[in-house]
Amino acid sequence: MKKMMISLAAAGALMLSAAPLQADAVGNGPNYGGNETINTSILHTYSELASYLQKQEAKQQDMELEVIGQSVKGRDLYLVKYMKNPENPTILFLTQQHGNEQLTTEGALEFIKHLGTGKMKGVTDNVNILIVPMLNPDGAMGDVDFSLDDYVASGDRHLTRYNALGVDLNRDHVTKIQPETQALHNNVMSKYDIDYMIDLHHQGARSERDGELVSGSILYPTTPNVDPEVLEGSKKLGAVVFDAVDSTGWGHLGKYVGGTAETISRNGIAVEYGISTLLFEMRGMSDHEYEPYVLGQKSNGYLIKQTIKTLDSTVRAIADGSIETKDTSFWDTLAEQTTRQSEEDE
């Protein structure tokens, strides 16, 4: 029952006949502001996620579940695989490097279920799909060696950006010291011939583009060391996502303002492995010690739907080859998002 709210919010997200969300859903999807309960108990716990994945593997002929390593606290790290033909182009979806950014994981789980239905018939014949649905389970469960007393959510647990040792996994892609990062690089990045990766995150709740609050933001690798062909592939990947999401009426994407450090997966993985990468930052977080980053849970539905839309559109574009003809010129005019300074502006 505790997952009913999530399931209903995401149901029908990919059906063309589904009624669209209100166009103002992004701008009005409430900030926390101390006035709303943020209940983390409606999100999948780690054990519930593991059980969900195992059940889906039993149901789906094309799905294979692999354990790629363990977290600091000994939790298995899962990789979901759909690989009918090693020669097919391969895309990796990575979620929850930061444990308090879980709606992307909720969307990924819905997408995995969707892959087992007739709606995707034939698509996985032409594209390989890899999904790491929760790289930081210790942070997601609040099972960490530091205090979370200042975090704002209620429910059965707090969620934190960092892993159990207080390390940001998305700053560990060069030294690769943490076991979670090692598992990703040793048993996914180095093991599989990956062409594309979308790294799914959450950002603050008050970013805007052209005067309107965004539903999310995207960015390609910005390190000067990235190969031009890899960069162009990243921009095409972004074009697929932008065209799919920004055209919905409820989706409104900005250009993320990101740095050049290769410790970040978007940059480091593009350089080290020659993989075209895209960062997608969804609006708002499930929990944080800084209140303006937390988004009211009434926004869960459209953010989960946005994740599913992103995964579905990119898989289809790679499968049918249409990604190769995407026009990337929109990047030249896509405005960088800014931060809305005053709550009164909302």
Side-chain angles (χ1 to χ4, degrees), residues 282-295:
M282 307 288 173
R283 182 186 181 216
M285 299 182 190
S286 304
D287 195 7
H288 205 282
E289 59 187 343
Y290 184 54
E291 290 184 5
Y293 282 1
V294 181
L295 188 62

Side-chain angles (χ1 to χ4, degrees), residues 115-137:
L115 284 168
T117 70
K119 297 172 186 177
M120 298 297 284
K121 186 176 180 180
V123 175
T124 54
D125 292 341
N126 299 307
V127 59
N128 296 325
I129 305 167
L130 303 174
I131 304 172
V132 177
M134 185 182 279
L135 188 64
N136 184 4

Side-chain angles (χ1 to χ4, degrees), residues 23-30 212-214 250 283 302 340 346:
D24 62 356
V26 175
N28 289 345
E212 296 182 31
L213 290 169
V214 300
W250 50 262
R283 182 186 181 216
Y302 83 78
R340 184 170 292 186
E346 300 183 21

Side-chain angles (χ1 to χ4, degrees), residues 255-268:
K255 186 177 182 181
Y256 190 75
V257 181
T260 61
E262 293 177 15
T263 53
I264 300 170
S265 63
R266 165 177 56 87
N267 292 323

Side-chain angles (χ1 to χ4, degrees), residues 119-161:
K119 297 172 186 177
M120 298 297 284
K121 186 176 180 180
V123 175
T124 54
D125 292 341
N126 299 307
V127 59
N128 296 325
I129 305 167
L130 303 174
I131 304 172
V132 177
M134 185 182 279
L135 188 64
N136 184 4
D138 297 344
M141 292 306 299
D143 184 12
V144 295
D145 297 335
F146 54 92
S147 173
L148 298 177
D149 289 345
D150 294 332
Y151 279 60
V152 304
S154 62
D156 56 358
R157 72 187 194 274
H158 281 305
L159 293 75
T160 178
R161 176 183 181 91

Side-chain angles (χ1 to χ4, degrees), residues 219-223 226 230-231 234-235 266-267 270 275-278:
L219 188 63
Y220 46 77
T222 50
T223 169
V226 66
V230 171
L231 178 59
S234 300
K235 290 184 174 182
R266 165 177 56 87
N267 292 323
I275 296 171
S276 293
T277 65
L278 183 75

